[in-house]
Amino acid sequence: MNRKILALAIPSIIANITTPLLGLVDTAVVGHMGSAVYIAAIAVGGVMFNMLYWLFSFLRAGTSGLSAQAYGAADLRQSTLVLYRAMAVAFATGIIMIALQYPIAEGLTGFLEPDCSTEPLSRLYFRILIWGAPAMLGTYALSGWFLGMQNSRMIMWTSLIINVVNISASLILVYAAGWKIEGVATGTLIAQWSGLGAGLLFIRGHSLTKVSLAEIFLPAELRRFFSVNIFVMLRTACMIAVTLWFTRAGASQGAVILAVNTLLMQLFLLFSYMMDGFAFAGEALVGRYVGARDTASLHRCIRNTFRWGISLALVFTALYFLGGEWFLSMLSSDRDVITASGEYWLWALTIPLAGFAGFVWDGVYIGATMTRELLITMFAAMVVFFVTELSLYPLWGNHALWLAFILYLTTRGISQWIVFRMMRNRFS
């Protein structure tokens, strides 16, 4: 069981770590164009797409659970149908985004309020990169399907191909062709479509069966597909609400506190990249054993994944305790920010132990397609976050914000454990 977990988790972790390179490469290239406005435009454009695509990440999560259950049941026809349905929804959604690009850009730009010099460049970046929406969403669907088919290596290779193409294309277009921000955007666009093309080629290594359009768009099955995914989408909206409020609350306290919170949140992001790998392994294996009705392996998988989760949490807590200040100094040379972060250091130190259970349970719930319950527990955690932050902020300031975030992470894990215990008979 541990070998199965690691075989799925390690490639997923590698893919997670390389994914942020897309934004990092864009930022690094424009950082040498001679004006800070290019960096600002990339930052604004990146946030616009993060907000847009994060909401549709259900195409990965929902697809992985459904395809894993079909894999466990050895139902080749159903796994094929899950793939085609997910790809159809991804392409349709991507085309709609392209068609509505102007009102979407207006809404996101109005929300982010960039300055007058940044706005036109961020709009240019958006107008070019929006043509990659079908490719990005299609890659989400493919990644979920590969994971459900117990093959996270293909996700890793797709991610690596995207980054290699992005680096190469961006450098050629900017430094050889003389383009500026449009070269960076076009390089990323080429990389996104290259990733989709690679994923479609990788499908050839899996057996698919012939299915008709009528089967793909069978109303009853489409209802099930959307009933699973709509709850994942709403759950993601809750996560976005917490993340945006955390950033907004930090920004309202001034540049130093915003910088402190941003730096300390990098500790959470680094930990999440690792934990997501084990969550993805849990999705694939739990779905497989639910589909195969193998209850003994299901519970053994959950126990072993939790052992990996708590081990990772303890290791990261020790690493952050011993080397956290060094890590922060690598990210920033501003001594005022580094010094100010010491006041909130203990909050960040509790992140791994507070958060690991929520990651593991997310994988279990998605693999078991318990997405309604996933939404309920996430909504409860979001309520705890906002009640804590809004009620204690006048007294504790930024400490209240961090307490709310830690309680949000803890509530996720505890509420998911309670709900799973209540529904234990479903898996016995």
Side-chain angles (χ1 to χ4, degrees):
M1 182 62 69
N2 283 324
R3 282 196 298 270
K4 290 177 181 177
I5 291 171
L6 289 175
L8 290 163
I10 291 173
S12 297
I13 290 170
I14 294 172
N16 287 344
I17 292 173
T18 59
T19 296
L21 285 177
L22 272 175
L24 184 62
V25 168
D26 287 356
T27 303
V29 172
V30 300
H32 296 281
M33 289 182 180
S35 174
V37 71
Y38 291 114
I39 299 177
I42 289 290
V44 171
V47 171
M48 290 167 77
F49 281 108
N50 287 341
M51 293 171 65
L52 197 58
Y53 289 144
W54 197 8
L55 198 58
F56 290 94
S57 61
F58 68 84
L59 284 166
R60 189 211 61 77
T63 303
S64 69
L66 292 171
S67 58
Q69 291 184 18
Y71 179 89
D75 190 339
L76 179 59
R77 177 171 293 276
Q78 186 59 33
S79 67
T80 303
L81 287 169
V82 169
L83 172 63
Y84 289 160
R85 286 189 191 110
M87 292 298 290
V89 172
F91 278 112
T93 305
I95 291 169
I96 291 171
M97 285 184 182
I98 292 172
L100 299 178
Q101 60 178 285
Y102 292 105
I104 291 173
E106 284 294 325
L108 292 175
T109 304
F111 177 79
L112 295 170
E113 296 182 341
D115 60 44
C116 58
S117 61
T118 302
E119 183 178 341
L121 290 175
S122 63
R123 284 180 180 273
L124 174 61
Y125 183 82
F126 181 88
R127 285 200 303 271
I128 294 171
L129 214 49
I130 191 64
W131 290 92
M136 281 295 293
L137 298 180
T139 303
Y140 284 176
L142 283 174
S143 297
W145 189 80
F146 281 129
L147 188 61
M149 302 304 286
Q150 319 295 296
N151 190 350
S152 62
R153 293 188 307 277
M154 294 301 98
I155 304 172
M156 177 187 71
W157 286 115
T158 300
S159 182
L160 290 173
I161 288 169
I162 289 172
N163 281 289
V164 169
V165 172
N166 183 45
I167 293 170
S168 304
S170 295
L171 290 177
I172 291 170
L173 291 172
V174 171
Y175 293 110
W179 295 9
K180 290 190 177 293
I181 198 166
E182 60 271 26
V184 173
T186 305
T188 303
L189 178 65
I190 293 169
Q192 290 172 345
W193 282 102
S194 298
L196 178 66
L200 293 174
L201 286 175
F202 292 150
I203 287 179
R204 298 173 62 184
H206 291 267
S207 297
L208 298 176
T209 188
K210 287 187 176 181
V211 293
S212 66
L213 283 175
E215 289 178 285
I216 295 172
F217 297 107
L218 195 66
E221 290 300 320
L222 279 176
R223 279 196 298 273
R224 185 191 177 213
F225 181 86
F226 283 110
S227 68
V228 167
N229 284 304
I230 190 64
F231 294 120
V232 179
M233 185 178 184
L234 293 172
R235 169 253 193 183
T236 304
C238 293
M239 294 177 67
I240 293 173
V242 170
T243 302
L244 288 178
W245 189 267
F246 189 95
T247 304
R248 180 186 180 279
S252 69
Q253 300 175 73
V256 172
I257 292 297
L258 176 60
V260 166
N261 287 351
T262 301
L263 281 184
L264 293 179
M265 280 299 288
Q266 301 311 304
L267 302 178
F268 171 71
L269 292 176
L270 181 60
F271 176 67
S272 71
Y273 292 149
M274 299 295 176
M275 276 308 307
D276 265 340
F278 288 94
F280 292 169
E283 287 178 29
L285 291 171
V286 167
R288 173 181 177 177
Y289 297 132
V290 168
R293 301 184 184 276
D294 186 349
T295 305
S297 294
L298 170 65
H299 291 294
R300 189 162 70 250
C301 169
I302 294 173
R303 286 195 301 271
N304 285 28
T305 308
F306 262 98
R307 289 183 187 127
W308 282 106
I310 195 168
S311 298
L312 205 62
L314 290 170
V315 167
F316 268 81
T317 300
L319 289 175
Y320 289 165
F321 179 77
L322 296 172
E325 185 173 348
W326 171 83
F327 178 74
L328 294 180
S329 66
M330 291 288 290
L331 297 176
S332 174
S333 58
D334 190 321
R335 296 312 306 173
D336 290 339
V337 173
I338 299 298
T339 301
S341 67
E343 184 178 350
Y344 308 99
W345 177 247
L346 289 179
W347 292 118
L349 199 62
T350 64
I351 283 174
L353 288 172
F356 83 92
F359 283 98
V360 176
W361 280 123
D362 279 356
V364 172
Y365 276 53
I366 290 171
T369 58
M370 295 170 55
T371 54
R372 182 192 299 268
E373 293 78 11
L374 186 67
L375 170 61
I376 291 170
T377 54
M378 177 57 71
F379 183 78
M382 182 187 71
V383 169
V384 168
F385 171 83
F386 280 108
V387 169
T388 304
E389 201 276 336
L390 293 174
S391 60
L392 295 180
Y393 181 80
L395 298 174
W396 292 1
N398 202 47
H399 286 288
L401 181 63
W402 275 100
L403 173 62
F405 186 71
I406 297 302
L407 289 179
Y408 156 78
L409 294 177
T410 307
T411 303
R412 279 175 61 185
I414 293 174
S415 60
Q416 287 170 323
W417 175 76
I418 292 171
V419 171
F420 191 83
R421 294 285 298 181
M422 292 169 59
M423 302 186 66
R424 193 177 180 87
N425 291 337
R426 176 176 169 181
F427 305 105
S428 60

